[in-house]
Amino acid sequence: MVTQPLTAGDVLELIADIPDPEIPVISISDLGILRNVAVEGDHVTVTITPTYSGCPALDAITQDIETTLEAAGIDDIDVAMTLSPAWTTDWMSAAGKRKLLAYGIAPPSHTAEGPVPLKLTIRCPQCGSGNTGELSRFGSTSCKSLWQCRDCREPFDSFKVH
C-alpha cells in the first residue's frame, strides 16, 4: 500500500476550523492567528500569533491543535508562537467578521494601513443603530470592549481594532 506524503495543505485542512476558545463562533483561521504550517517528513510545525501577548486562550488553542492532529495520526508536532509581526485585525477574514456580527459582536471596521478614520460610534450588531456608546474599554476578553445601544438598550461586545 502506497501512502502519500503529508503536506502543509493536509495539516491546514485539519486545523483551520478549530474554534477560538473565547469566541467559538470564529475559527483560528478566520481570526487570523494561524500563521504558518510547515511539514518536514513526519514532523509538523504550526505557527500561531496571539491577538494579545498575554492571551489566556493560547494554551487551549495549542492543545486543540495537538489533539486534532494526534487524532489524525500525526504525533510529531510543535506548536510555535510568534509575536512578530504583531497580530492585527486586518488578518481577520471577511467571513470571520460576518460570523462575529451574526454572533452579536461588532467586528473591527477598518484596516490599520494608512490614516485611521475617525469613528465616533460603532453600529449595534442587534438592531444596526449607530446610536451607541462605549461602557467600558475592557470587555469580557482582552480583545473586546463593552458597548451599549441607546436605541434597543442591548449591551454588546466590540472587537478592538489593532
Side-chain angles (χ1 to χ4, degrees), residues 22-106:
E22 293 178 323
I23 311 168
V25 70
I26 190 169
S27 72
I28 60 173
S29 179
D30 280 335
L31 190 54
I33 65 169
L34 183 54
R35 296 291 300 284
N36 189 48
V37 173
V39 177
E40 294 180 25
D42 291 335
H43 181 75
V44 172
T45 302
V46 176
T47 305
I48 57 176
T49 296
T51 57
Y52 282 84
S53 60
C55 178
L58 281 181
D59 289 339
I61 292 167
T62 298
Q63 183 64 48
D64 288 346
I65 290 169
E66 290 171 347
T67 301
T68 299
L69 295 178
E70 287 168 356
I74 302 167
D75 297 319
D76 190 2
I77 308 160
D78 281 324
V79 179
M81 182 182 65
T82 184
L83 299 176
S84 180
W87 178 85
T88 170
T89 51
D90 292 342
W91 294 355
M92 292 177 73
S93 71
K97 290 176 183 179
R98 286 190 300 273
K99 290 174 188 177
L100 286 175
L101 184 60
Y103 191 63
I105 297 173

Side-chain angles (χ1 to χ4, degrees), residues 9-30:
D10 296 332
V11 175
L12 186 58
E13 188 174 321
L14 289 168
I15 64 173
D17 291 331
I18 291 174
D20 177 80
E22 293 178 323
I23 311 168
V25 70
I26 190 169
S27 72
I28 60 173
S29 179
D30 280 335

Side-chain angles (χ1 to χ4, degrees), residues 73-148:
I74 302 167
D75 297 319
D76 190 2
I77 308 160
D78 281 324
V79 179
M81 182 182 65
T82 184
L83 299 176
S84 180
W87 178 85
T88 170
T89 51
D90 292 342
W91 294 355
M92 292 177 73
S93 71
K97 290 176 183 179
R98 286 190 300 273
K99 290 174 188 177
L100 286 175
L101 184 60
Y103 191 63
I105 297 173
S109 59
H110 72 274
T111 64
E113 292 184 24
V116 176
L118 179 61
K119 187 166 197 166
L120 300 176
T121 190
I122 292 176
R123 292 219 168 269
C124 174
Q126 309 301 324
C127 72
S129 171
N131 186 16
T132 63
E134 187 176 54
L135 294 177
S136 174
R137 184 72 183 136
F138 305 100
S140 58
T141 64
S142 300
C143 53
K144 295 182 287 186
S145 57
L146 181 62
W147 286 67
Q148 183 176 31

